[in-house]
Amino acid sequence: MPATRTAELTTPLGPLVAEWTERGVRTLFFRKKEATLSALEPRACANDPFGLQEAVEAYFRGDLAAFDHLPLDPGGTVFLRKAWLLMRSIPAGSTLSYGELARELGLPRGARAVGLAARKNPLVLAVPCHRVVATDGSLGGYAAGLWRKKWLLEHERRCSGQTTREPSRWENSRGK
């Protein structure tokens, strides 16, 4: 098993914990301030072979494609990996409902399964599960806190020049 490195990154939304091996980034998650983690490296990602620190900083400066180049190694079942891959294809500034994403996965009644995949997503920002919303356009859930989901969606809409939710743009780009 490859050695895992861990670091804590500073973001406008609070501490972001990253774990990686030589194969890729395994986890990227917001932690609660009251939580403590052992083996955290000071401030930046020392020996970061993937440029993770730079990707995080670039994303928060407005480069919404900053995570596209990162090699990811999240593990998970075949279904989870398919769901996460599909979440990565939702354009920044757009959203898709849990049900729409389930239909794309071939599960017309699988909205709850997609919700579970979003909840188990170990790579926030790099696998943008915050772009998945309820059918009525409400935020739904977000393990890192709904206030963060709202902030991320507003940030992406601002940086992409969009002001409203546009699910049809994503669907149309996929030939729907």
Side-chain angles (χ1 to χ4, degrees), residues 4 42 52 59-60 74 82 91 93 113 124 128 136-137 141 146 159 162 164 171:
T4 301
L52 186 54
Y59 174 83
F60 283 103
K82 285 180 180 179
V124 299
D136 66 2
L146 285 178
C159 294
Q162 294 185 20
T164 60
E171 292 166 3

Side-chain angles (χ1 to χ4, degrees), residues 130-150:
H130 60 273
R131 296 179 191 157
V132 185
V133 298
T135 301
D136 66 2
S138 63
L139 294 181
Y142 193 59
L146 285 178
W147 68 273
R148 282 190 177 111
K149 184 172 186 171
K150 182 179 179 187

Side-chain angles (χ1 to χ4, degrees), residues 53-132:
Q53 176 78 42
E54 292 82 10
V56 169
E57 291 171 3
Y59 174 83
F60 283 103
R61 281 193 313 269
D63 178 0
L64 303 179
F67 296 101
D68 291 354
H69 75 281
L70 292 177
L72 305 179
D73 185 25
T77 65
V78 171
F79 169 75
L80 290 174
R81 288 191 307 269
K82 285 180 180 179
W84 297 334
L85 185 62
L86 194 53
M87 288 175 197
R88 289 195 82 186
S89 71
I90 303 170
S94 297
T95 58
L96 194 66
S97 76
Y98 295 98
E100 290 168 318
L101 199 132
R103 284 189 289 283
E104 285 287 325
L105 289 168
L107 300 169
R109 304 178 99 206
R112 287 186 182 195
V114 169
L116 177 66
R119 193 167 36 257
K120 289 188 170 210
N121 173 19
L123 292 159
V124 299
L125 304 180
V127 175
C129 60
H130 60 273
R131 296 179 191 157
V132 185

Side-chain angles (χ1 to χ4, degrees), residues 33 161 176:
K33 289 182 182 179
K176 298 277 178 194

